[in-house]
Structures are given as C-alpha cells and as structure tokens.
Amino acid sequence: MAAAQPVHSGIDFSAFRDPRLARELIDRIHELVGDRTINLMEVCGTHTVSIGRYGFRSIMPAGLKLLSGPGCPVCVTANRDIDHAIALAKMDGAIITTFGDMMRVPGSSTSLAAQKAAGRDIRIVYSPLDALDIAKHNPDRPVIFMGVGFETTTPTIAAAILEADARGLQNFSVYCAHKTTPPALRAIANDPETTIDGFILPGHVATITGLVPFGFLVDEFRTPGVVTGFEPVDILQGICMLVQMVVEGRPAIDNAYRRGVNVDGNPVARQLVEQVFEPCATTWRGLGPIAASGLSIRPEFSRFDAGARYDVPVEPTVEPRGCRCGDVLRGAIAPSDCPLFGHACTPGHPVGPCMVSSEGSCAAYFRYQI
C-alpha cells in the first residue's frame, strides 16, 4: 500500500530547526487530528529526550498522545541480567567493564556502582574495544564486558569478539543482554492494555536494520510506522506523516530520515552481527520473555560467552517495590502516573532504571518537567 506523502515533499530539510517549517507542521498536525483521539509511541529513547526538550507534548492537539516505549536499552534490561552482572563482579580477580548508564541501575539488592564502592573492580568504558585493551594489560584476570544494547550497538560488540579471537585474548568475554527491537513492537501491538495507532520508529536502529523488519506492523496490525531523525523538524515531520496515515486509513512504513537511513539499512553491520550472534529468547523489563528478541553468542565463539563460561551464584530476583517502570516501557502509563515519580524516585535517588538512564522516560519527564 502506498505511503502517505510528506507534507513538505521536495523541500530541503537541511535547516532541521527552521521555526517556520516547525510552525507549519504543528498547524498541519492540529488540522489533521481535529477532534480525534490518536496514540503514537516513540520507540527510541533519544526521541523521548528530544520530544521533552522541545516541549512537543505540550503543543500537540488535546487528542494526540505521545507515549514512550521500550527504547532505552538500559531500562529494558531485566533485573536478572543486572543481578548476574553483579554476581560476575564478585568473582575473585574479575574486572567488569560497562557503559556508564549501567552503573547506577538498581538490581535486586545492590548495583554495579555500589559494588565498585565496596571495592569490586568495575570500570566504565566508551567502547567494547576499550575492554579488549584492559584484557590485554591484565592477562591473568577475567575481563568481562556487559553487553547491553539494541541493533545499533551489537555490531561493535560483534567486532570486539572477532578482534579478541584474532588477538588470542583468552581472558576476555561478554555477558550478553542484547535485544532486537521488532519483536518488542509486536508484543506491544498485541498488548490488550495499550492502543497504539502509529509508531515513531527509531532512527538509530533503522540505520542498521532498514525498513523491512518493521513491515509486520502494517501486515499484521494495520498500524503505520515512520522512521524519523532527532531534530525538531524531523520529529514533527514524522508525527505529521503518521497522523496523516492514521486519518486516511492508509498504513505504511515510511522514512522521514532519508539522510541517515536507507531502505536496506547496513547489510555489512548485520552480517557482522549474524557471524557472531544468533537469535534467542530473552526477558524485557515490562514486557516479559519474548521469543527470538535477544542475541546469544554462537557456539563457535562460546569461549567469549561470560554467562556460559562462569558459573556464579545469582541472587533471587526481586523487583523494586512500587516501581512502575515496566508499565511506562509498554506505554500503559506516563512516567508521572507512577506514585514514586518525583518523590521517592528522582535522578539523584532512582528506584527504577527509567530514572537512571539519560535516555530513560522517567528521567526525561523529570528533567523537562512534563
């Protein structure tokens, strides 16, 4: 089915913060929505932050709701995975490497940051390749990288495993908590407690995947999706295209981020991931176990799989009492609907991961006073 045409088709969008274009798009969105009720979900945490920063929720028509989804990889990491990483950190001599946002995410009884303060060797890195250098300089100690992320980050982690293999680094491994986006969107589309009329699809993920993996939204659910960038005009253009498709009843998967996303994505990056990883079931915070939504290390690289390589006791999983982060991640509630939001749970004293990560919905709502 043909996609709805962009409102400003043919216009040069190099000025992605052009106030005139933004005003025209806002007016067009109001005109299209009218007195309808339309629910759109942004799937990317960077979109959530941008929407908050530019105040878009406050200037949308009353009937148009922008719901946050499972677009923050730190936020959707299950407590069990955090507890497992903490258990690995307690091994004698172990060095745990991770991205900064993971440090303060609470597990069942502690966090990586608390364990670091207690004397465990836990280091923030900016790339999994940094962890390889740490492994090289500490050959007698196990160096474990906590692999968290969506399709955008997994190619670099696959490359790190291949590089470790090429270098013969026997002490390097990865704890895999990787996730893929389309199965989570299918779970949300199937959720009887949420009504999503259109998805603002993640620009970063789509640079790798392209558009095809999201086609099931139209084929199975008659729900449109538009890939957008992160500047004001990008986001407003994506919203406008989605609303137009909803109003006209012509769902499609379209691309409002052509300067960054090709229809076919990045086949080279996908091949790299497929060489090292294979699909597996995994558990998402808020969504539960989802088949074929995770990535595990293939058997031929199992020596780099920390989960299989090290048998450590993991404490029983306990979810944070009163935290409704899971409901936020599937669009059932807004962050401000959680009774802990802004009171017991703040960026300084987070109860759940949505308040920890820089891309977390709760952190964005708190920061921009939504």
Side-chain angles (χ1 to χ4, degrees):
M1 186 171 289
Q5 292 300 307
V7 174
H8 292 282
S9 178
I11 288 182
D12 179 5
F13 275 82
S14 58
F16 302 113
R17 298 189 179 187
D18 187 317
R20 180 184 61 82
L21 286 178
R23 183 71 261 172
E24 289 180 16
L25 287 164
I26 292 166
D27 290 344
R28 179 60 173 155
I29 291 167
H30 277 260
E31 178 185 341
L32 286 167
V33 173
D35 59 0
R36 299 174 178 87
T37 298
I38 297 175
N39 294 328
L40 305 182
M41 173 177 280
E42 79 266 6
V43 181
C44 178
T46 309
H47 281 146
T48 297
V49 172
S50 294
I51 287 169
R53 177 185 296 125
Y54 301 126
F56 285 155
R57 285 188 173 85
S58 65
I59 59 175
M60 290 294 107
L64 178 61
K65 304 299 181 187
L66 299 178
L67 305 173
S68 299
C72 165
V74 171
C75 302
V76 298
T77 300
N79 253 18
R80 178 72 178 178
D81 288 319
I82 297 167
D83 293 339
H84 201 143
I86 290 168
L88 290 167
K90 294 178 180 179
M91 292 193 308
D92 289 342
I95 301 174
I96 302 298
T97 59
T98 183
F99 296 137
D101 275 0
M102 288 304 305
M103 290 292 288
R104 295 176 61 238
V105 178
S108 294
S109 65
T110 184
S111 66
L112 290 170
Q115 289 302 305
K116 180 176 175 64
R120 308 294 181 186
D121 196 343
I122 302 170
R123 308 183 190 184
I124 294 174
V125 294
Y126 297 98
S127 162
L129 296 175
D130 295 338
L132 294 186
D133 291 335
I134 293 172
K136 176 183 176 181
H137 291 102
N138 295 272
D140 298 325
R141 299 176 64 184
V143 175
I144 301 166
F145 177 76
M146 188 175 183
V148 171
F150 297 135
E151 291 90 341
T152 313
T153 57
T154 47
T156 61
I157 297 170
I161 290 174
L162 291 174
E163 180 66 17
D165 187 37
R167 292 191 200 179
L169 292 174
Q170 301 298 318
N171 61 327
F172 173 77
S173 59
V174 175
Y175 179 75
C176 293
H178 311 103
K179 292 175 171 60
T180 54
T181 307
L185 300 191
R186 179 177 277 108
I188 289 172
N190 270 316
D191 189 338
E193 294 187 30
T194 59
T195 300
I196 308 298
D197 299 300
F199 287 95
I200 302 171
L201 297 173
H204 292 148
V205 167
T207 62
I208 306 298
T209 65
L211 305 186
V212 172
F214 301 105
F216 73 92
L217 291 170
V218 174
D219 298 339
E220 298 177 26
F221 301 101
R222 300 285 298 165
T223 301
V226 174
V227 175
T228 72
F230 307 96
E231 296 295 337
V233 171
D234 287 325
I235 295 170
L236 291 170
Q237 177 75 357
I239 292 171
C240 196
M241 291 167 69
L242 274 174
V243 169
Q244 186 171 336
M245 285 192 275
V246 171
V247 169
E248 295 178 356
R250 298 193 296 118
I253 302 300
D254 212 338
N255 185 6
Y257 192 32
R258 290 183 173 87
R259 71 184 186 278
V261 173
N262 298 318
V263 172
D264 296 329
N266 188 330
V268 174
R270 292 201 303 274
Q271 189 279 329
L272 192 65
V273 171
E274 290 166 6
Q275 182 180 353
V276 176
F277 296 107
E278 60 186 4
C280 67
T282 194
T283 299
W284 296 61
R285 188 185 299 269
L287 302 178
I290 303 177
S293 67
L295 294 172
S296 61
I297 295 175
R298 290 185 179 276
E300 55 265 41
F301 297 104
S302 60
R303 61 192 176 281
F304 299 111
D305 186 346
R309 184 172 177 176
Y310 302 109
D311 185 13
V312 293
V314 181
E315 66 178 303
T317 300
V318 177
E319 298 298 331
R321 186 174 181 180
C323 174
R324 298 193 63 187
C325 185
D327 291 329
V328 171
L329 290 167
R330 60 190 182 88
I333 66 170
S336 52
D337 294 329
C338 175
L340 304 185
F341 177 81
H343 304 289
C345 184
T346 66
H349 296 89
V351 175
C354 295
M355 190 63 88
V356 175
S357 173
S358 59
E359 292 189 347
S361 301
C362 296
Y365 270 62
F366 187 93
R367 183 183 309 124
Y368 299 111
Q369 300 181 357
I370 299 173

